[in-house]
Each structure stands twice: as C-alpha cells, then as structure tokens.
Amino acid sequence: MAAIHKEAVLDVPAERVWAVLREAGRVDLLAPGFALECHMEGDVRIVTFFNGAVAHELILDVDDEARRIAYAMVDSPLGLRHHNASSTVVDEGDGRSRFVWHADLYPEEAVPVVAEFMDRGLSAMKNALMSSASSVGA
C-alpha cells in the first residue's frame, strides 16, 4: 500500500472552494480540462478524464463541517486493486484556503502515474478557481 499527499494554497476563500468541491458530481466544474464529464449514478461518481479514461468512484462521505469529501475507486481505468482518497478545504484566513488531497493505493508501482494525474488535476483546479474569468463557485 502506498500514499500520496498533495496540497495547494489558493487565493480563494475556503467557502468558495468547498461550494464546488462538495458537489461530488461536478468535478468537471472544479477541474475543467482535467475532468471532461462527470455525473452521479446513485452514490457513484462517474468521471471521464482528459485522456479518455473513465473512473467509477463511490462517494463515501461529504462532510460540510470538516469541508471534506471521501471516495473509493470501484472501477479503475489504471487497474488499481485499491484506491481511496479524500479532499479537504482548510480556511487559511484573509480570503485564502488550502486544498489537501490524500490518496491511498495499491499496487505501489502505480504511484508515479497517480501522482502525476493528481498534479494535473490540482493544476486544473487551481487555474479554474483562481482565474478572474472563471465563474466556478460564484
């Protein structure tokens, strides 16, 4: 089992980031260009990514108080035997927030691919949220 931990400080209020993140079926709004399509089928989020891969993720928890969403991959385009993750938005004050993304996965050999995927998603999210032209969460 391996773990990947990513963080980014955003010049965006935590409430605005959480308003988009908590909508589990709208990852395409949170990280446009990274997630091309996203919808819910019951408690399962189905995401089509930039490379055509489709993931099925069981939403485990959406915690408004902690500003945390947790999910587990139930059908992995990468052939992972285990993948669960959580994203949390932390209020940093002064209109800033910290986005924390943690994933546990198996097999360990997938870490470079998943870490690169997470970096790309985080970059798309930052660009969307921090763009003055973006209406994300507005």
Side-chain angles (χ1 to χ4, degrees):
M1 184 85 65
I4 303 170
H5 186 86
K6 303 284 183 179
E7 293 190 22
V9 175
L10 307 167
D11 291 326
V12 180
E15 297 80 19
R16 181 169 174 219
V17 178
W18 177 243
V20 180
L21 179 62
R22 78 168 315 285
E23 297 300 324
R26 295 312 315 255
V27 176
D28 53 334
L29 292 180
L30 181 65
F34 173 69
L36 301 181
E37 288 183 18
C38 184
H39 68 279
M40 298 293 296
E41 288 185 7
D43 291 338
V44 176
R45 171 171 65 193
I46 301 172
V47 185
T48 302
F49 294 100
F50 65 94
N51 61 359
V54 178
H56 292 74
E57 304 167 338
L58 176 64
I59 302 301
L60 302 171
D61 188 37
V62 177
D63 185 334
D64 286 314
E65 187 173 327
R67 290 190 188 111
R68 179 181 174 273
I69 187 169
Y71 58 94
M73 190 83 61
V74 293
D75 184 15
S76 168
L78 300 175
L80 299 172
R81 292 195 293 182
H82 175 84
H83 180 276
N84 68 283
S86 66
S87 299
T88 305
V89 181
V90 179
D91 187 350
E92 293 288 307
D94 295 326
R96 300 174 79 212
S97 59
R98 184 166 29 101
F99 183 84
V100 180
W101 194 359
H102 184 86
D104 295 310
L105 59 116
Y106 183 80
E108 290 184 34
E109 294 78 24
V111 166
V113 172
V114 175
E116 182 179 331
F117 212 72
M118 290 171 71
D119 285 337
R120 187 169 180 151
L122 194 55
S123 177
M125 183 198 74
K126 285 173 64 174
N127 288 340
L129 288 169
M130 297 179 68
S131 170
S132 60
S134 174
S135 62
V136 174

